[in-house]
Amino acid sequence: VGPRTLVPADMAPMGVRVCHTLEEGLKDADVVITLRLQNERMSGALLPSSQEYFKSFKHIKIKEKIVFYRLMSTMLYAGMSLIKGIVVLEKQEKNPLFKKMLGEIPIGLQEGKNLSECLEIYPASFGDSEVGIIKSGEKTGKLNEVMLSLADQVEKVASISGKLKSALIYPAMIMVVVL
């Protein structure tokens, strides 16, 4: 990407695509990344597939996470298996991204992974601290209690974050008016 006067015009024979605007340069970026990952994977490199790579950029809403933790806690407390509980939640979920996540988790569980290992695949949705707390619940056998306390914790953090944002809006508006 660069101005027309600084970039040589005839670089196409060398396999270089010259773009003069940012939009033009980023137009096919996802396709380029996907092809590079596929090429490196075929050459024997231990890289994630493009689908696995792009999973890390998608995230679910905090309210959806809170509901997930609370309902899983309730179902586990009632004696329902982890896989069955997640399948029930998947059938009820309206958000297509979260529904897909919930559909992939039971597959991982059936392969012998722990819930914490299944959630680690989605770092944009489930942070390291949340995964660590779930891992401790798995090890102690108190996953239902841990899920309930995690729901409370995430809810409190979301509440504080919302209050902080609203408290910062007024000074920001004053700055905009002054400038």
Side-chain angles (χ1 to χ4, degrees):
V1 177
R4 294 184 192 281
T5 56
L6 299 177
V7 180
D10 196 24
M11 293 186 70
M14 294 185 284
V16 176
R17 190 176 122 212
V18 178
C19 303
H20 300 289
T21 65
L22 187 60
E23 290 80 23
E24 184 183 354
L26 294 176
K27 186 170 80 173
D28 297 320
D30 289 344
V31 174
V32 171
I33 291 170
T34 301
L35 292 173
R36 282 187 183 159
L37 286 171
Q38 287 174 351
N39 183 36
E40 290 183 23
R41 185 169 240 198
M42 288 188 327
S43 67
L46 297 175
L47 293 172
S49 68
S50 59
Q51 192 176 26
E52 292 167 345
Y53 177 78
F54 287 115
K55 275 183 192 177
S56 63
F57 297 115
K58 300 174 182 175
H59 67 280
I60 58 173
K61 295 178 184 174
I62 291 175
K63 288 183 180 183
E64 292 171 328
K65 238 191 323 189
I66 293 168
V67 169
F68 169 70
Y69 290 144
R70 285 198 192 284
L71 291 176
M72 279 308 304
S73 172
T74 303
M75 287 188 272
L76 291 172
Y77 185 74
M80 189 178 286
S81 74
L82 184 60
I83 293 175
K84 189 171 183 179
I86 292 174
V87 169
V88 167
L89 291 178
E90 179 206 358
K91 288 179 183 175
Q92 296 175 353
E93 185 57 47
K94 291 180 177 51
N95 177 349
L97 173 65
F98 196 30
K99 187 176 186 85
K100 186 175 182 202
M101 282 182 192
L102 291 174
E104 292 174 359
I105 292 172
I107 295 168
L109 293 172
Q110 289 171 343
E111 291 173 352
K113 294 181 181 176
N114 293 330
L115 177 61
S116 57
E117 293 171 325
C118 294
L119 297 179
E120 280 178 329
I121 298 171
Y122 307 101
S125 296
F126 301 98
D128 292 338
S129 61
E130 292 172 39
V131 171
I133 291 169
I134 290 172
K135 193 177 288 188
S136 71
E138 292 168 336
K139 289 183 179 180
T140 60
K142 297 183 179 185
L143 188 58
N144 58 338
E145 294 173 22
V146 167
M147 293 284 247
L148 186 59
S149 67
L150 193 55
D152 292 337
Q153 179 185 350
V154 171
E155 197 168 32
K156 286 177 188 173
V157 169
S159 173
I160 291 169
S161 175
K163 289 176 184 177
L164 183 62
K165 285 179 187 175
S166 62
L168 292 175
I169 287 176
Y170 180 73
M173 293 302 289
I174 297 297
M175 291 298 291
V176 168
V177 171
V178 168
L179 295 176

